[in-house]
Amino acid sequence: MIPVIEAVAFASVQDMAALVLVVSAAGYLAWQGWRVVRKKSAGCGGCGSCASTQPRESQPFVEAATIKQIAPKP
Amino acid sequence: MAEGALRSLAVDGVIGGVGGVLVFLPQIMFLFFFIAILEDCGYMARAAYLMDKLMSRVGLSGKSFIPLLSSFACAIPGVMAARVIEDRRDRLTTILVAPLMSCSARLPVYGILIAAFLPATWWIQGLTMFAMYLVGIVAAAGVALALKKTLLRGPTPPFVLELPAYKWPSLRLVVHRMLDRGWEFIKRAGTLILAVSIVIWAMLYYPHDAATVEAPFAARRAAVEARLANAPADGPERAELEEELAAVDNEIAGAYQRQSILGRMGHWIEPVVKPLGWDWRIGCAAIASFPAREVIVATLGVIYNLGKDVDPGEEEGQTQLTEALRSATWDGSDPPRPVYNVPVALSIMVFFSLCAQCAATLAVIKRETNSWRWPLFTFVYMTVLAYVGALVTYQVGMLLV
């Protein structure tokens, strides 16, 4: 096993500050992973790079209809 | 700031990682600008109509075209837009192949590798970028055909679509969408990519055991430093010694990386990725990119900049990362053998064009299909396809080079 804990020497404030940031980043990633699994942010907008302007209630860009639907009702 | 962990985290982890991704913001905004114009002018429905005949050859109808075209921006709205397809088999096939379209997250990966390793002729670089988009399209057609002939066999339903009127796109709407997506990209770089960069930095920095790592180099470094102290200020010898000192420092940085957590993990997976022409660093970066593929640029930025003194090149468009990638060599190779060449760059790009490296997309597939079976299927088939594609690309490429 890699002796991570023993090797991390708290020699300075820099070391401690870096470690706090690393733990925060790891915690954030774990939280994000949990959200994806729990479907909280798995919807549109979850990845943050889509083209939809209405992230959570996206509509299809083009409505499709069958002939029956678009034909005028008698 | 004095030398130390926090300084290394800021310079190598944050600036080297997030900075490498942020430089692609203009390209991303251009992509969304043109997609917004296409969406807003009413062309999409016409394109779907025009593509119907072509799509029917792979067992799909024109209705699948819009979800697939949307997937070039992002697979998530593409998968969700497949709801418009009434036929269950067609809808499922469209959902399963939508992640093969080259989304905007792949753009930074292509951009950095094409800029670094393809000849700086606009048509070669442009054709390579186009070829990467084509790889995804051809693979999607092949997979759709295979699915429609096996797992999801069934007739192609007739295609009926109401065409909206053509109109001039609204400049306000197009600019709004472009800025909105640009801001989302920045937010993503400031959250997910920042967090991954910090974790990758930590895995590459710790355990930072200076006594063990630097001991083998101490005598050599001290000797060079002593000669440097006695060298005349303006003499040619001084420049040579400074280069030698930088080389020793880079060797020390390499030794730190090899004994880091990521370095040790990377050496375990190296046998798997070596047939693709990749060293352990690329393998680690590819694995770190499974939650979100654009993370690879940040990861490579951290891996290749950490502790190293890399001067940005003088050529136009050359960044510190492209220079670092060009100068990367295989560990222990004597004389130093470059890791990257054109087949390796193409192999990485083909892998990224075919691999399912987006957790959010897989989660949406699960939601749309109401089962974990289909996202799992997507992940497995795309990963296998990506590995085989990258393997063939590298092996064939090496035969031709």
Side-chain angles (χ1 to χ4, degrees):
Chain A
M1 195 63 203
I2 303 162
V4 184
I5 305 299
E6 303 95 280
V8 176
F10 295 95
S12 65
V13 178
Q14 276 209 33
D15 285 327
M16 290 184 70
L19 207 65
V20 168
L21 288 173
V22 169
V23 170
S24 308
Y28 174 78
L29 288 177
W31 176 60
Q32 285 290 313
W34 181 77
R35 283 183 72 193
V36 168
V37 172
R38 290 289 305 267
K39 297 194 294 185
K40 297 280 184 189
S41 69
C44 197
C47 81
S49 58
C50 68
S52 169
T53 51
Q54 293 175 305
R56 296 209 177 268
E57 294 169 24
S58 72
Q59 297 294 314
F61 298 119
V62 175
E63 293 289 346
T66 61
I67 291 172
K68 203 180 274 182
Q69 283 171 330
I70 60 174
K73 288 182 180 169
Chain B
M1 191 186 290
E3 287 286 340
L6 193 61
R7 180 193 154 101
S8 175
L9 190 154
V11 175
D12 304 315
V14 177
I15 298 172
V18 178
V21 178
L22 276 181
V23 295
F24 287 96
L25 181 63
Q27 287 93 321
I28 299 281
M29 288 178 78
F30 267 119
L31 177 73
F32 282 111
F33 177 78
F34 288 112
I35 286 178
I37 288 177
L38 277 180
E39 285 171 5
D40 205 37
C41 71
Y43 178 73
M44 293 286 239
R46 270 100 185 153
Y49 170 74
L50 290 172
M51 294 300 291
D52 182 55
K53 198 173 176 184
L54 197 64
M55 301 290 281
S56 66
R57 289 186 187 167
V58 295
L60 295 173
S61 74
K63 279 182 192 169
S64 301
F65 177 73
I66 294 166
L68 295 180
L69 190 66
S70 302
S71 300
F72 281 108
C74 174
I76 290 174
V79 168
M80 295 179 78
R83 288 177 186 179
V84 78
I85 303 167
E86 294 94 350
D87 184 80
R88 183 186 157 272
R89 292 188 186 90
D90 268 21
R91 188 170 62 247
L92 206 48
T93 308
T94 307
I95 287 173
L96 297 183
V97 301
L100 283 168
M101 301 295 121
S102 278
C103 65
S104 59
R106 287 169 168 114
L107 199 58
V109 186
Y110 300 156
I112 197 89
L113 291 168
I114 287 174
F117 300 106
L118 272 292
T121 317
W122 70 268
W123 65 270
I124 293 182
Q125 296 194 335
L127 271 183
T128 310
M129 181 70 90
F130 179 69
M132 286 304 122
Y133 278 79
L134 209 57
V135 164
I137 295 169
V138 171
V143 172
L145 194 62
L147 285 172
K148 290 290 283 184
K149 282 190 181 295
T150 54
L151 283 178
L152 301 168
R153 191 182 306 178
T156 303
F159 176 54
V160 180
L161 191 71
E162 185 181 346
L163 297 179
Y166 264 133
K167 69 180 182 74
W168 281 102
S170 155
L171 185 66
R172 193 181 63 82
L173 195 69
V174 168
V175 171
H176 174 77
R177 280 189 189 175
M178 183 184 73
L179 294 178
D180 191 42
R181 292 304 111 196
W183 176 238
E184 287 296 332
F185 181 75
I186 293 171
K187 275 203 298 191
R188 194 168 166 80
T191 51
L192 180 75
I193 294 173
L194 175 67
V196 172
S197 296
I198 292 174
V199 171
I200 293 289
W201 169 87
M203 290 175 73
L204 207 57
Y205 189 82
Y206 294 115
H208 201 73
D209 191 0
T212 312
V213 173
E214 294 192 21
F217 302 93
R220 196 168 136 213
R221 195 178 194 286
V224 177
E225 275 182 329
R227 282 165 58 202
L228 193 62
N230 296 326
D234 303 330
E237 193 193 354
R238 188 171 190 85
E240 281 176 23
L241 287 169
E242 279 172 348
E243 269 182 33
E244 199 177 333
L245 191 63
V248 176
D249 284 342
N250 276 349
E251 280 184 48
I252 294 172
Y256 269 120
Q257 284 192 359
R258 281 191 293 279
Q259 59 82 53
S260 67
I261 301 169
L262 195 69
R264 294 179 204 202
M265 285 169 60
H267 282 99
W268 295 338
I269 61 157
E270 197 170 62
V272 180
V273 298
K274 214 168 181 177
L276 311 181
W278 305 359
D279 73 345
W280 66 267
R281 293 178 182 86
I282 308 173
C284 284
I287 288 173
S289 314
F290 270 93
R293 50 179 63 87
E294 66 269 42
V295 163
I296 191 177
V297 178
T299 309
L300 289 174
V302 177
I303 290 177
Y304 284 108
N305 289 333
L306 187 62
K308 294 201 173 177
D309 187 17
V310 181
D311 292 327
E314 290 173 359
E315 286 175 36
E316 194 183 348
Q318 193 170 327
T319 64
Q320 192 161 329
L321 181 55
T322 57
E323 184 56 29
L325 294 178
R326 283 176 188 166
S327 58
T329 54
W330 283 89
D331 283 347
S333 60
D334 191 25
R337 187 162 61 92
V339 173
Y340 291 88
N341 52 25
V342 174
V344 170
L346 290 175
S347 151
I348 298 171
M349 284 192 280
V350 167
F351 185 88
F352 273 78
S353 73
L354 299 175
C355 199
Q357 293 163 306
C358 183
T361 301
L362 294 174
V364 168
I365 293 176
K366 190 263 168 186
R367 200 177 69 176
E368 295 296 305
T369 60
N370 205 23
S371 158
W372 277 111
R373 190 166 50 132
W374 292 112
L376 190 67
F377 174 78
T378 308
F379 179 78
V380 172
Y381 100 75
M382 284 183 70
T383 306
V384 171
L385 195 64
Y387 188 88
V388 173
L391 181 70
V392 170
T393 304
Y394 174 70
Q395 298 296 342
V396 172
M398 289 306 285
L399 289 176
L400 299 175
V401 170

